[in-house]
Amino acid sequence: MSPAVRIMRKLAQNNRLANHRLHAACARLAPGEFEATRTSFFPTIKATLSHILTVDWFYVDALEGGTLGPKAWDPEEPFDELAPLTAAQVAVDERLLAFAGTLTEARLIAETRVHRTGRIQVERTDDLLLHLFMHQTHHRGQVHAMLSGSSVPPPQLDEFITASDFRDRIDDMAALGWSEADLSR
């Protein structure tokens, strides 16, 4: 496997692990905290997690060759409760992992068509994936900051990639049914 393909697969795995940990923390919020107004780009944890989800739907669909386009964020907050939002996030994370599992060097440099309102955006697949991973990291960081003002301490979100981080991901790996060998692929 080429280094570029390996990096994209690792980033997809990191994404799944970070979302798992973040959603698990949010599941411990006291009643009212999920939708409480806070200081951030999106005013609530609910709105920010919803944005992460709908943008994932938008880009993962494009990566898979779909035409969903802006319908992905209609409505902008598709779930009122965390549990169905988490289930939907898991599903799209698994789709992204499956896509990453099929990547080749040729596919990374191939074009992906992104259906926008009134136009089709054409991007290299690797550029689109990097954009998506940065978007997810950016908004997870906002939820992390909002958790600082809640009853739940924000979880560690960046201890997943290196081999020496294995002690910090044992519980998460078990919850996902993953082994350390899964992270080496």
Side-chain angles (χ1 to χ4, degrees):
M1 158 183 354
S2 77
V5 169
R6 184 176 183 276
I7 288 167
M8 294 301 176
R9 288 181 183 176
K10 294 283 277 191
L11 287 170
Q13 291 169 325
N14 181 75
N15 171 70
R16 176 70 182 98
L17 284 159
N19 282 337
H20 167 75
R21 193 173 278 184
L22 189 63
H23 279 256
C26 290
R28 297 191 312 274
L29 288 167
E33 288 188 304
F34 178 59
E35 56 279 328
T37 300
R38 302 175 189 281
T39 301
S40 192
F41 185 81
F42 293 96
T44 67
I45 291 171
K46 175 187 170 196
T48 307
L49 289 178
S50 294
H51 177 71
I52 293 168
L53 172 65
T54 59
V55 171
D56 283 358
W57 284 343
F58 175 76
Y59 283 114
V60 172
D61 177 76
L63 290 162
E64 294 170 335
T67 60
L68 179 64
K71 291 180 282 206
W73 45 82
D74 182 21
E76 289 181 1
E77 294 183 24
F79 302 104
D80 290 326
E81 303 294 328
L82 178 63
L85 193 155
T86 297
Q89 187 65 60
V90 167
V92 75
D93 287 350
E94 291 296 325
R95 287 171 54 200
L96 184 55
L97 280 167
F99 177 80
T102 68
L103 285 173
T104 62
E105 193 71 30
R107 180 63 178 102
L108 283 176
I109 63 172
E111 293 180 341
T112 294
R113 299 170 63 81
V114 182
H115 290 256
R116 300 266 184 195
T117 301
R119 69 184 174 96
I120 306 251
Q121 173 185 350
V122 180
E123 299 288 347
R124 277 179 50 142
T125 300
D126 55 356
D127 290 343
L128 202 63
L129 281 166
L130 288 172
H131 171 75
L132 177 57
F133 292 131
M134 289 301 300
H135 177 270
Q136 295 163 329
T137 301
H138 168 71
H139 287 296
R140 277 193 302 261
Q142 292 173 337
V143 174
H144 188 272
M146 287 189 276
L147 284 172
S148 296
S150 77
S151 64
V152 176
Q156 185 71 25
L157 294 179
D158 61 351
E159 295 178 340
F160 301 117
I161 295 288
T162 64
S164 65
D165 289 335
F166 77 93
R167 288 178 194 86
D168 299 312
R169 62 180 173 243
I170 291 171
D171 292 341
D172 301 292
M173 297 284 284
L176 296 176
W178 289 6
S179 70
E180 287 297 317
D182 294 324
L183 291 182
S184 299
R185 292 188 237 161

